Structure formats: structure tokens, C-alpha cells
Amino acid sequence: MDLAIKNGKVFNGIEVLGKTNIYVENGKIAKITNENLNANVEIDAKDMFVMPGLIDAHIHLSGIKGGSLLKIMFEKPEYRVLKASKWLEKLLISGFTTVRDCGEIVSLALKRAVNEGIIKGPKIIAAGKPITQTFGHGELSHDVPLEFSMSLSFSEFCDGVESCIHAARKVLRDGSDFIKIFATGGVLSQRDKPENPQLSFEEIRATVNEAEKVNTYVAAHAHGDKGARIAIEAGIKTLEHGTLLRDETLKLMVQKNVTLTPTLTIQELIYKYGKQIGVDEWGLQKINTVRESISNVVKKAKEYGVTIIAGTDLGFETGLEDIDIGKNWMEAILLVERGGLTPLEALRASTYNASLAIGSNSGLIDTGKDADIIIINGDPSENIKDIAKTISVIKDGKIVVENKKLL
Ligand SMILES: [Zn+2]
């Protein structure tokens, strides 16, 4: 065996197995057993908690600082990608071995650089450019001239079925792993409201069809119930935010096997610190309603059996003590504190459930899975706040973080 992690209290992504040993060979988990076998490298995890590497299923690796997203239009991608590469190191140190970028062109280059070993970071599952309608959430500002918005915005535009087919194919051609669409207005875009539906059933259906042809799926940003429902009926697989969902829509999600990423972190951030970090005025005005509502939506989602996955929606550095890039475990804490999940449910949302939803081969400690494992000096299954106490990180069977230091 290449690597052994011995004597730790193991959570496999679904349940706590208790004290056992994990053996790794060729980057994969080879054996989980109480037997004491030899390995080239051995880690003694006595009194430690051992679990799959954390997954942030909704992030934007934009490389900007401060809460005004308009900077995405005004900072050059070459610069943003360099900044975001530093974010990746922080994410890895904090225990994240996989992130899903839900819309950001620079994430495609970052993904390639991580895969080729040029930079250090978690595995990236990337949407590339998200798809927006004209006068949609993906425009951020609706006051700038449309031509300006189309050329500098972070989104791909589509209006009408033909146009959506073309946009979907362009995004997939760029190398995207899945397609992200905006199915309602949002908080951080200027003049659209979270409750406004965006894109039609036909437009979304056509986009889903293009994704399915290459064996992938569509993730939909949706706050309002009406737009969310249209997107779910059109065949999307992961619903992002879902802040204003009604009970019937949550039940439909269970039927159609659509997951919910409540993104509590971004809402908490804008609610508590929006003004301080420079969120545009329109964002501050829209945050209260969605933040107020989501807490109840998560509790209902849990009751009906919707699969909940952890995603922060962090898209900029804040410089704050509690909510910032590299502290993305905040989502699990908020799922417990504001969403009413048990610590174990929040850990599942951050590992196995997220991996199933986003199409990742980690997130579960089982034979044949990628050996993406973290060691925590604490017990987050008892106290969720201990999820912030990662000391070592193993990615693809190699120790990449030891005693909180990047190797
Ligand atoms: Zn987002």
C-alpha cells in the first residue's frame, strides 16, 4: 500500500464508521479495515476525525476583492486568474479537495492548470460562462450599453430557442463540465428581481437537451418559485439558491431528483457585511427577503426529503474574519444553525451528497473512490464548528497539506 491513515474516527461521507484504518493505492482508496497492514507512508490519526475532502458545490473563482461584482467587467482575466490561483491554495489548506465553479470563464484555465500540476488547488468542476437572457441576472448592470454588457459581461447571452442551442454549444466547446443558467433574477444584478422568471421553458429545455447529448446536466440559478418550477420541469438537475421556493415545488424536486444548494453563506455575508464590503446598492435592497425566506425553505426541503448540498456562492475575497474565501466550511455551519440540519446531515451535504449531484468521484470513503481525505483535529459530527479544524489534506492519495501547511 502507498499510504495508510490509521486509528482515526472515520466518517465515510454517509455515516460515522468509528475507529478504523484506511489504505490507499495508486491514488484510490484500496481498503478500509481494522487490520494493521504495512504502507510506505503512515499517518497516525489517533483522536482525530477522518472524512472525505470537503466539496464547495457552488463557488465563483473570479479573483476579485470586495462585494461589487462589476469588477469582473473591469479587471482583466489574466490578473483575475492569478488572484484566483491563490484562492485555490487557501481552499486546499482549509480542507476542500473539490469545488464546482458555477459560472466564471477563468475557472476553465484554473481547472486545466490544477489538473496539469502547474498550480495547487482542489479539483475544479467548471461551468465556464453561465448563460443569461438579455436583461437577465448574468448582466450584473443593466445601465451599461448592451453591447458593452455582451462583450465584457461574465455571461453568454441567449434569447430564443436557436440562440440558446448556440449558447449551450459555445459553452460546452469552451470545455465546460456542465451548463449553468439563470432562471430568475437575482440579488447582485441591478434591475431584475429575484422573483422574476428568466428564460422560457422552451429555452431551458433546449439547453438541457444540448447538455444531455454530451452526458452532462444543467444547474439553474433560481430564487423565485415560478422560474424555479419552469426550470425543474424543463429538466435541470441542480437548483441553486431556491430562496423563495414553495412546498409544491420542493415536492416536485424530490420526484424529479433535483438537488438544492441553498447558498446560505453568500446571503449571510451580504446581509451582515454587504455595505462594509462594497456590495452595490441594489444588492443591499434585495437581500433581506431572500435571506429571511431561505431558512424556512431548507427546513421544509429536509422534511420533504430534497437532497441538500453545500455551496457557498462565494465569488470574491472579503478580508473578513468569519466569511471569506478559505473559510468555505461556513456553509456547513450555517446549514446547521440556520437550516436546521443535524451536523451529520451537514457533513453529508458537504461530501457524498454533493459529489453525487455534481458528478465527482470523491466525497465517499469507499474502495475505488479517489483518495481525497482530510484529517480534522476535532469532531464535526458532534460539533459542526470543528469543520474549520482541518490539519492535513490528502488529494488523489498524496499528502498535499500537513499541519495546516501546503506541501
Ligand atoms: Zn452563484
Side-chain angles (χ1 to χ4, degrees), residues 168-169 172 177-179 205-219:
R169 289 176 184 171
L172 291 168
D177 297 303
F178 69 104
I179 297 177
R205 184 64 218 146
T207 308
V208 167
N209 192 40
E210 291 306 314
E212 287 177 350
K213 280 199 253 177
V214 294
N215 298 318
T216 187
Y217 64 93
V218 173

Side-chain angles (χ1 to χ4, degrees), residues 58-62 64 69-75 77 80 101-108 127-132 136-141 148-157 171 174 180-182 188-189 221 241 313 315:
H58 190 136
I59 193 169
H60 299 271
L61 298 166
S62 71
I64 61 168
L69 294 188
L70 295 178
K71 285 190 195 130
I72 293 174
M73 298 167 86
F74 298 107
E75 301 270 29
R80 298 201 289 111
D101 186 293
C102 277
E104 174 48 70
I105 190 72
V106 304
S107 65
L108 296 169
K129 277 191 169 188
I131 291 179
T132 186
H137 177 59
E139 283 203 72
L140 306 177
S141 165
F148 186 80
S149 181
M150 288 179 85
S151 60
L152 291 180
S153 158
F154 80 123
S155 305
E156 192 66 48
F157 281 60
V171 163
D174 282 343
K180 170 73 182 298
I181 64 163
F182 298 117
L188 293 179
S189 47
H221 153 111
H241 317 305
D313 199 13

